[in-house]
Amino acid sequence: MAAQNLTPHRRRYRDIVEVIGNTPLVELPSVSPKPGVRVWAKLESQNPTGSVKDRVARSLILDAEEKGAISKGQTVLEPTSGNTGISLAAIASKRGYKLRVVMPDNVTPERTQLLEMYGAEIVYSPGNQGSNGAVAMALELAEADSDLYMPYQYGNQANPDAHYNGTALEILEELDGQVNAFVAGLGTGGTLMGNGRRLKEELGDAVKIVAAEPMQGEPVQGLRSLDDGFIPPIIDLSVLDRKIMVTNRDAIIWTRKLLDEEQLFAGVSSGAIARVAHRIASEMDEGNVVFLVADDGWKYLSSGIYTKPVDEIANLDSTVWW
Ligand SMILES: Cc1ncc(COP(=O)(O)O)c(C=O)c1O
């Protein structure tokens, strides 16, 4: 009988929090424009609640516990467009805390359901103000009530540290240190800062750190344009080698391409990021390009982006239908 191909890491865990991380790195030949360039997706969608933010939520809660900043039963407050809230809701609940999230009122109903499912309380901010509106409202609420603990992922080093001490080390190990480009979306900046710093420390200029940014005024759920006026405090722009803009339409086309050609059911930010990974790969002659799949597609199903004609979807105002 052929020997079984066992994964190198443990597969038995004490609880769901311990399952976070050690996500698969999968080669996607259809995203590669030339044979010498290999494009790999780090499937953060495989985390327990379906997104990269499980790593961050665990890091934020453990950091607060280590600092003695929260006690059992206390309420954690966080502004989030969805994924961090869902992850925090699961992890806070597992570790004995309550969670209140501030979220724009125009996200898909799946997000609301997931948050409620994990026991979070939701406060809505005006959808037309996007994630910046949620941040402003959460800061006001935290100021008014000193019993609330706000991890504030936009300004908390525990966010990039989750990647510096986790995602980046996994990628380095999975590719034996041969990483030529790392591409990710920019939301809080945690993914790009944490991975970028570690990869630069290990590989220097041999690795390029590339941000996929939505065009200003064309929001892609989970991502932000640095030109929209708010630069999260954890962002150090010197870590980035390049920023490449993606249109909403291209984000959708590439999300569909991942599904049709690689059978990868990913969220819309992954389409935007794959588009940029392809462009970077086309400028190289050989090497490895890694891009990050931040979440899976379940939360976006009701928007119709996987089934409706692209023209019908791309022309909709994404601030309203996501
Ligand atoms: C779907 C999705 N993609 C990408 C990102 C960007 O990640 P980061 O906050 O680490 O910049 C986020 C974060 O909010 C997200 O929810």
Side-chain angles (χ1 to χ4, degrees):
M1 201 164 69
Q4 214 185 325
N5 185 14
L6 291 173
T7 48
H9 56 84
R10 281 182 307 160
R11 289 190 300 178
R12 210 170 97 172
Y13 306 91
R14 273 175 305 209
D15 64 18
I16 204 78
V17 179
E18 218 181 51
V19 180
I20 297 166
N22 284 312
T23 52
L25 186 76
V26 183
E27 186 164 8
L28 302 182
S30 76
V31 185
S32 171
K34 333 178 174 167
V37 186
R38 304 180 77 179
V39 180
W40 306 83
K42 182 74 172 156
L43 295 194
E44 291 304 303
S45 45
Q46 299 270 315
N47 280 304
T49 78
S51 92
V52 65
K53 291 298 182 173
D54 282 356
R55 294 185 190 264
V56 174
R58 175 177 60 183
S59 179
L60 293 171
I61 295 290
L62 294 184
D63 171 71
E65 288 177 349
E66 273 160 29
K67 288 180 180 151
I70 37 173
S71 43
K72 299 287 173 203
Q74 201 177 337
T75 299
V76 174
L77 171 79
E78 187 70 10
T80 161
S81 64
N83 281 333
T84 304
I86 293 161
S87 300
L88 270 175
I91 291 159
S93 177
K94 186 84 198 76
R95 296 189 74 85
Y97 311 105
K98 295 188 204 115
L99 179 73
R100 190 177 302 163
V101 299
V102 184
M103 184 170 82
D105 62 14
N106 54 1
V107 300
T108 55
E110 291 92 330
R111 286 172 184 246
T112 307
Q113 258 183 45
L114 279 159
L115 284 163
E116 285 173 351
M117 226 172 73
Y118 285 120
E121 182 194 334
I122 305 170
V123 178
Y124 289 105
S125 58
N128 60 4
Q129 293 175 18
S131 58
N132 289 353
V135 171
M137 188 182 276
L139 287 168
E140 270 171 38
L141 290 172
E143 189 135 314
D145 184 350
S146 59
D147 283 345
L148 297 169
Y149 174 73
M150 183 149 102
Y152 195 49
Q153 58 169 340
Y154 293 89
N156 192 329
Q157 198 52 36
N159 171 4
D161 282 354
H163 297 284
Y164 182 88
N165 296 316
T167 328
L169 296 180
E170 291 168 28
I171 293 168
L172 282 162
E173 193 186 320
E174 284 147 3
L175 289 174
D176 297 322
Q178 304 295 308
V179 187
N180 303 90
F182 175 80
V183 186
L186 200 140
T188 63
T191 303
L192 280 159
M193 291 302 115
N195 284 291
R197 269 208 192 93
R198 176 69 83 176
L199 293 172
K200 286 277 184 199
E201 265 173 37
E202 297 294 325
L203 308 172
D205 251 2
V207 63
K208 299 294 172 219
I209 308 300
V210 184
E213 263 197 54
M215 301 284 260
Q216 209 185 359
E218 287 201 20
V220 174
Q221 185 73 52
L223 306 187
R224 67 169 55 250
S225 160
L226 287 177
D227 299 330
D228 74 359
F230 173 62
I231 299 187
I234 56 167
I235 293 188
D236 169 3
L237 289 174
S238 71
V239 176
L240 302 179
D241 290 290
R242 284 173 78 178
K243 291 188 298 171
I244 295 182
M245 299 283 178
V246 189
T247 62
N248 196 10
R249 188 188 167 80
D250 272 354
I252 293 162
I253 288 172
W254 279 79
T255 307
R256 293 276 277 264
K257 200 168 141 69
L258 291 177
L259 185 64
D260 296 343
E261 292 174 22
E262 297 289 352
Q263 288 63 51
L264 177 59
F265 181 39
V268 196
S269 77
S270 303
I273 297 161
R275 165 83 191 90
V276 172
H278 177 266
R279 166 140 171 222
I280 293 292
S282 66
E283 294 172 9
M284 292 165 46
D285 292 323
E286 56 179 13
N288 289 314
V289 177
V290 176
F291 79 93
L292 195 124
V293 169
D295 63 0
D296 54 30
W298 293 99
K299 295 182 296 292
Y300 308 91
L301 268 184
S302 65
S303 67
I305 65 154
Y306 303 97
T307 46
K308 289 186 186 163
V310 172
D311 282 334
E312 194 181 314
I313 291 295
N315 292 333
L316 291 177
D317 177 356
S318 60
T319 54
V320 176
W321 58 270
W322 276 337

